[in-house]
Amino acid sequence: SSELTQPPSVSVSPGQTARITCSGDGLPNLYAYWYQQKPGQAPMLVIYRDTERPSGIPERFSGSSSGTIVTLTINGVQAEDEADYYCQSADSSGTYWVFGGGTKLTVL
Amino acid sequence: EVQLVESGGGLVQPGRSLRLSCAASGFTFDDYAMHWVRQAPGKGLEWVSGISWNSDSTIYADSVKGRFTISRDNAKNSLYLQMNSLRAEDTAFYYCATQGGDYWGQGTLVTVSS
């Protein structure tokens, strides 16, 4: 795995589409994971293996991958989506992780 | 219901040691590699250490290598983090998490201060 880079902040109006990117040289060969973290709470997985959505996560959350960039897309953003979002990748054994610096999503 | 419950955090002086525990329930513990992740107050997530399901492989972030030791006891469904030579910069919430990030505990706060 290598360093992962995210924008520090993204702002969108309710109902709009939010896109949060994560770039890293290792991403073409490794899966990416996305977590949502609200204040005072543990992180929650929202996307795994680049594009898969865990059960219970709303369909408005989706993930995509293209080369060295992975993207978390939130369609029809709601006020409750305001949170910090972190991308993460792992080595092939799953025992080494690396996180991006996190992106604060603000819903205007 | 899957549960990960961390314990063992607290206030400790620089240079001292602390042992964190993570009690797992509601899933087959020895099917999963496990991880410790920390978060300093107001900062981002930092991966600390990972261990394979059978303890054959352990890996550490450079920031803790040589000071922290991860271990697990599959018979007790428990994960541990022995933290030695603690520094002020180790102050953080410490979370245990499963391989794949499916499940996380609520965290335990470690404060290193004199």
Side-chain angles (χ1 to χ4, degrees), chain A residues 35 37 42 45 86 94-97, chain B residues 35 39 44-45 47 59 101 104-105:
Chain A
Y35 301 91
Q37 188 182 33
L45 184 69
Y86 295 89
T95 46
Y96 177 83
W97 284 4
Chain B
H35 296 267
Q39 186 171 36
L45 300 174
W47 175 80
I59 308 179
W104 292 62

Side-chain angles (χ1 to χ4, degrees), chain A:
Chain A
S1 294
S2 59
E3 191 171 304
L4 299 177
T5 302
Q6 299 179 235
S9 63
V10 169
S11 299
V12 294
S13 300
Q16 299 296 305
T17 296
R19 294 181 180 85
I20 300 173
T21 59
C22 172
S23 63
D25 290 341
L27 288 175
N29 303 309
L30 301 170
Y31 283 124
Y33 301 75
W34 289 95
Y35 301 91
Q36 177 193 71
Q37 188 182 33
K38 296 182 178 180
Q41 296 184 16
M44 179 177 69
L45 184 69
V46 294
I47 294 291
Y48 66 99
R49 294 185 183 178
D50 291 350
T51 61
E52 302 298 316
R53 191 173 54 247
S55 61
I57 301 301
E59 291 184 6
R60 63 180 182 273
F61 287 86
S62 65
S64 62
S65 175
S66 178
T68 60
I69 298 176
V70 293
T71 303
L72 172 68
T73 300
I74 311 172
N75 291 308
V77 166
Q78 301 181 8
E80 67 196 50
D81 299 330
E82 185 164 285
D84 294 324
Y85 291 85
Y86 295 89
C87 63
Q88 176 245 315
S89 69
D91 71 344
S92 56
S93 71
T95 46
Y96 177 83
W97 284 4
V98 61
F99 285 97
T103 299
K104 181 174 182 59
L105 175 66
T106 299
V107 182
L108 301 171

